[in-house]
Amino acid sequence: MGELVAGVDSSTQSCKVVVRDAESGELVRSGRAVHPDGTEIDPKHWWAALQQALDEAGGLADVAAVSVAGQQHGMVCLDETGEVVRPALLWNDTRSAPAAAALVEELGAQAWADATGTVPVASITVTKLRWLAENEPANAARTAAVCLPHDWLTWQLAGGGADHRQGAPGLDALVTDRSDASGTGYFDASSGEYRRDLLRRGLGRDDVVLPRVLGPTESIEGPGFRLGPGAGDNAGAALGLGAGDDVVVSLGTSGVVSARGERQGSDPTGTIAGFADATGAFLPLVVTLNAARVLDAAARMLGVDHTGLSRLALSAPPGAEGLTLVPYLEGERTPNLPHSTGAIHGMTLANATPANLARAAIEGMLSGQKAGVDALAAVGVHVHEIMLIGGAARSEAVRRIAPTVFGVPVVVPEPGEYVADGAARQAAWVLAGGSEPPAWATGGTPERHEGELTAGLEDRYREAAEKYLPRPEG
């Protein structure tokens, strides 16, 4: 066994740690801890969960390098002493939706897309800063630095923070990477520079400390180990999967459709976010707020567990006999409908069965992701097959129904901690250097599923979804 590296995934719901051999990628040990529920959280809970997960994973005493990947966009505000000003607003907190609309109106969607690759929606950090400035001006005034969840945890691991020893790293020691910075709404990944003029539009001032953006193999010194730049969760997953140019659909708390690209996107509709990846390239992606939890809700409604939901769905015919479920259960980001709710269309006496409802829930969730696949295809992404990952991909019904919704074969890798694995692979890259990350084996043979496209399903879903869109005036 050679040098060891650790990868951390601090997600919305939990913290996962993997320790791997830096050369071979072999898993040595791992740990996990849960995060509290909610759309805002005191970052101290992330730190406590990381400590618990690290303890379960055997600690870092023999580890040479660590990288942290994490949920994107969350607003972490620090005062001049390093204290957290207020609980962090997470990506799925939609209270900043009016602020997002105002920012877009002020500058124009095309200008935002050209500047940062992304048109602001409620999840983007700059909108949360506008909300803070308008609703909690005292907290906005107290803010001396703004960072993201993975930035804050990296800083804590380096010894930063208000609770650490005298002489600990200060705010100027905060670091991040291109992938996470590209989701703030005030960073241009093409130039590698912050747009402080856009930060000022959010917070009302631009004199706060922002994390230094590290390159893919740059690092800082930790207590006995190197600390890599880390990554946003989607970029971390792509690195962990070795996805290359494949289209990846991730079905977790949110749904994410992504594919590697060579240029920052500029989509004024806001459908495609022009984020960066963890290798120096770009990661255009489409995000929905609703994915795996649509299945949670359907199972709860039907009084079954997920195995039962899968069995019911597979017993129904493709298309659920015309039953269509629009899955906007917690508002939606794509399309940008933060205050919407879910709906069922086409219900009749004949098709109102548990099996059809189960199938409609899965088809509805997947149809939301199909809209993202179509958006990437429209800007030149070649969609010959789809790599399907995330918690919902563990459902047999999801795996088998997916190709009938997407219209192309679906490949399902072995379940794994892809984001934490990506962070560990980055940590190994930090140690090894070079132009490419280590070529670790990606695991066993993935499942491959094929199926005929369900006739009329895409049109039905589009028509049902369009009922939510604003009507032209006049």
Side-chain angles (χ1 to χ4, degrees), residues 7-51:
V8 177
D9 171 18
S10 183
S11 71
T12 312
Q13 297 173 319
S14 62
C15 180
K16 285 84 69 177
V17 173
V18 298
V19 176
R20 292 186 173 273
D21 180 88
E23 184 175 350
S24 68
E26 178 185 350
L27 180 65
V28 177
R29 54 187 192 260
S30 63
R32 179 187 181 97
V34 299
H35 289 156
D37 289 333
T39 62
E40 71 171 34
I41 184 173
D42 190 324
K44 71 181 181 183
H45 294 298
W46 298 330
W47 181 242
L50 175 58
Q51 298 310 303

Side-chain angles (χ1 to χ4, degrees), residues 304-363:
V304 296
D305 59 14
H306 281 273
T307 300
L309 183 74
S310 178
R311 189 178 300 115
L312 279 170
L314 290 173
S315 72
E321 296 186 284
L323 199 65
T324 303
L325 186 147
V326 181
Y328 304 159
L329 305 189
E330 291 194 312
E332 190 46 83
R333 168 173 168 168
T334 306
N336 185 23
L337 299 166
H339 303 300
S340 63
T341 58
I344 296 173
H345 296 274
M347 181 179 288
T348 67
L349 289 174
N351 68 16
T353 67
N356 281 331
L357 180 58
R359 180 129 195 161
I362 291 174
E363 290 180 341

